[in-house]
Amino acid sequence: MHTLNVALAERSYPIYIGKGLLDHDLLRKHVRARQVLVVTNEAIAPLYLDRVLAGLQGLQVDSMLLPDGEKYKSLAVLEKIFDRLLEGRHARTTTLIALGGGVIGDMVGFAAACYQRGVDFIQVPTTLLAQVDSSVGGKTAVNHPRGKNMIGAFHQPKAVIIDTDVLETLPAREFSAGLAEVIKYGLIRDVEFYRWLTANIDALLGRDPSVLSEAILRSCQNKADVVAEDETEQGSRALLNLGHTFGHAIETATGYSAWLHGEAVATGMIMAAQLSADLGWLPQADVDALSALLARMGLPVKPPVGMTASQCRELMALDKKVHDGSLRLVLLRAIGQAVVTADYDDAVLMRMLERDCAAGE
Ligand code: NAD
Ligand code: GLY
């Protein structure tokens, strides 16, 4: 087992990464008092809930199953978590446990941030995306019909427990979506990691345990470093949003159903890289190599059919990184060196969007 630390003074917490950790007594160690609510969904419960419950014997353990899917990441479903906590008379010392992917993690984290003005929670991420990204860093949220993740809070977990074995049951498409976020760390701040990923792509796609574990470890280390530097995204944490402004436009244009988040991020990262190349910052060969790498991972590399350049630009303007009317983007000065900037020519952006959207499959 590897242990990393997210260094946030009194809010610091460990990330445990290893095989078979669901059967370890780690969860119990991080439960503060005698009450626990485990929240998972209908798909994950039959696979892993019993093992989690087995590690919590002797406590008041309540559990609940939410419906599966991004469309249930809503205030209405969040209220059901509060109902369950109140039914079970959970006190301020209770601990919520999020067993699932990013949807469950974000929702349970937000419930923990709100219930009685803030209680403990532990992340037990079960998708690759959640293991390398969403479970670390304390961003919690639900969606609003007018925008994704628009209602939320920063609330750090007490621990993140990553059992790499659970990825064995993850569908291939979800696995690939998670790989997009892994690649992201290499692109924004870790060129060595990017080279390592490129060299180990076959083993990674084959879910080779040691290569996968190394990829998760290095991703979490990168994420922990960024979060420790800028917990509430006043500056450098925004780099983690590489590809997300384009990606959110794709997700919105496709109604949050046709594309997975990681798929939209993959195409978004290529669009960000292409714009960086069009601005003369990045060699075109780097963009082409990135595109080939993501395609090899089974990820989409062109915007969705039917999305126009002007629609994309309009949707991008809804991004949280718009400040005083100017849209800041995460772009690449080089592989491993991202910047957040509004210093680009909008005409170059529009030309790139027109070319890319016309090329959409
Ligand atoms: P998800 O939570 O919807 O999980 C994907 C699917 O995989 C679901 O159907 C789920 O039931 C299933 N699943 C989960 N674990 C499984 C397993 N081990 N075996 C078999 N099936 C399994 O999606 P996700 O990609 O994990 O998360 C996406 C969400 O994360 C989005 O809502 C996004 O906004 C959010 N997110 C948050 C952050 C953050 O910093 N908080 C970062 C990135 C993404
Ligand atoms: N996934 C973006 C962040 O955690 O900041």
Side-chain angles (χ1 to χ4, degrees), residues 24-62:
H24 206 277
D25 63 354
L26 284 168
L27 259 182
R28 185 71 188 79
K29 186 173 149 191
H30 289 280
V31 170
R32 171 169 155 199
R34 311 230 31 96
Q35 292 178 308
V36 173
L37 174 64
V38 183
V39 184
T40 186
N41 76 23
E42 290 156 345
I44 299 158
L47 298 170
Y48 303 114
L49 181 58
D50 283 351
R51 285 166 62 193
V52 167
L53 297 182
L56 296 166
Q57 276 168 11
L59 303 175
Q60 176 197 324
V61 184
D62 293 319

Side-chain angles (χ1 to χ4, degrees), residues 133-134 136-137 139 181 184 223 227 233 237 240-241 244:
D133 189 359
S134 62
V136 176
K139 276 192 182 177
E181 304 281 3
K184 180 184 79 179
K223 176 106 193 218
V227 169
E233 200 169 309
R237 184 165 178 171
L240 294 173
N241 293 325
H244 284 58

Side-chain angles (χ1 to χ4, degrees), residues 8 13 89 100 109 132 140 158 235 240 259 282 336 344 353 359:
L8 290 169
Y13 53 94
R89 297 175 184 271
V132 300
T140 74
K158 290 292 165 194
L240 294 173
W259 288 50
L282 198 67
Y344 57 87
L353 289 179

